[in-house]
Amino acid sequence: MSPTTSQPRFQLYYWPLPFRGSFVSYLFAYRDVPLLEVADFGEINRLKSVLPGEQDIPFMGPPVLRDLESGRALSQMPAIVLYVSRELDLMPEDDFDLAMCMKVLMDCNDLLMEICRYNGSSMWEREDWKEFRSERLPRWLDIFEESLGRGTIGKDPVRFADIGIYALFGNMTRCLPELEPDVLNRAPGIHALCRKIGSTSSLAKFVAGQERE
């Protein structure tokens, strides 16, 4: 895909939050490829309220991606990541490596779901949070650190799963800084991978812009 001087081929609909949409937008930012983002609450609410038979892609909630060249639309974060990663040269060539990268991405999705209490359907109670932080979160950190140790992620060249790790843990430690020691102590390799991915100039500039907004 062409660099930033070209016109965006893809349009992403997602709330103006560093959340699930980041797994998509960070891919483009990492490659310094333009992405047309629609983050207007009113417009997204309008699109998600349309009857499924009248939607470009039947969906419950964003992110939604529109391919401006073909006119096709796609929902569900993992499906979108899979679709654009080949265009952005972030896709493993080996089928098993691809499946393992998707496994890591789905692990990220599952942990994000737990942290946000199923997309905000309920709020954390103090004791429940303490239990999660002392039991579930360490287990998850062990899983990601082991995935790194086995070479599923963290290899050259960078793949979509590596950027997914940053979208999860980079945002977690930035927006919930009290959790950074948890990640650093339990999964130092993951912490280092996040710092490496996040130091990419085009991605760092994009994230800084997110913070300003």
Side-chain angles (χ1 to χ4, degrees):
M1 186 169 283
S2 303
T4 51
T5 54
S6 64
Q7 290 297 315
R9 172 182 166 184
F10 294 101
Q11 185 176 42
L12 179 69
Y13 293 84
Y14 195 73
W15 315 115
L17 302 167
F19 202 56
R20 194 162 280 111
S22 296
F23 288 84
V24 180
S25 61
Y26 285 7
L27 300 174
F28 288 86
Y30 181 82
R31 285 295 192 218
D32 201 16
V33 169
L35 173 67
L36 185 60
E37 294 189 79
V38 178
D40 180 74
F41 277 105
E43 176 64 7
I44 294 173
N45 271 323
R46 184 189 69 79
L47 291 174
K48 69 188 291 289
S49 299
V50 173
L51 293 174
E54 300 173 3
Q55 292 176 319
D56 290 339
I57 179 76
F59 76 99
M60 180 65 74
V64 170
L65 184 86
R66 178 173 284 118
D67 186 328
L68 298 176
E69 287 187 2
S70 67
R72 295 180 296 187
L74 193 61
S75 66
Q76 292 289 4
M77 181 271 287
I80 295 171
V81 168
L82 190 66
Y83 180 58
V84 302
S85 289
R86 191 172 301 281
E87 295 289 336
L88 297 170
D89 193 24
L90 292 167
M91 181 84 77
E93 294 181 2
D94 180 79
D95 287 343
F96 184 77
D97 288 344
L98 172 58
M100 290 299 289
C101 280
M102 183 54 63
K103 181 265 186 196
V104 170
L105 185 68
M106 297 306 296
D107 283 343
C108 291
N109 202 40
D110 285 350
L111 177 51
L112 186 61
M113 185 77 74
E114 288 194 35
I115 288 177
C116 72
R117 303 287 271 181
Y118 199 77
N119 295 332
S121 61
S122 63
M123 300 297 288
W124 282 103
E125 299 290 341
R126 185 177 298 276
E127 291 305 314
D128 292 337
W129 172 253
K130 288 171 63 177
E131 181 179 351
F132 169 78
R133 190 174 179 184
S134 64
E135 296 181 12
R136 297 281 299 181
L137 182 57
R139 168 82 179 184
W140 273 120
L141 291 170
D142 288 348
I143 289 170
F144 285 107
E145 189 75 359
E146 183 64 23
S147 295
L148 178 66
R150 296 188 186 193
T152 305
I153 48 178
K155 299 184 294 186
D156 289 326
V158 169
R159 297 306 185 199
F160 68 81
D162 301 295
I163 299 173
I165 290 289
Y166 177 72
L168 175 64
F169 290 104
N171 278 329
M172 182 192 301
T173 55
R174 180 170 60 89
C175 300
L176 300 171
E178 65 273 16
L179 291 182
E180 184 165 14
D182 300 53
V183 179
L184 181 59
N185 294 332
R186 194 86 183 199
I190 292 296
H191 188 272
L193 177 60
C194 285
R195 292 178 66 88
K196 174 187 173 183
I197 298 294
S199 67
T200 306
S201 59
S202 56
L203 181 55
K205 180 180 178 180
F206 182 82
V207 173
Q210 275 192 323
E211 285 200 325
R212 285 194 302 271
E213 292 174 12

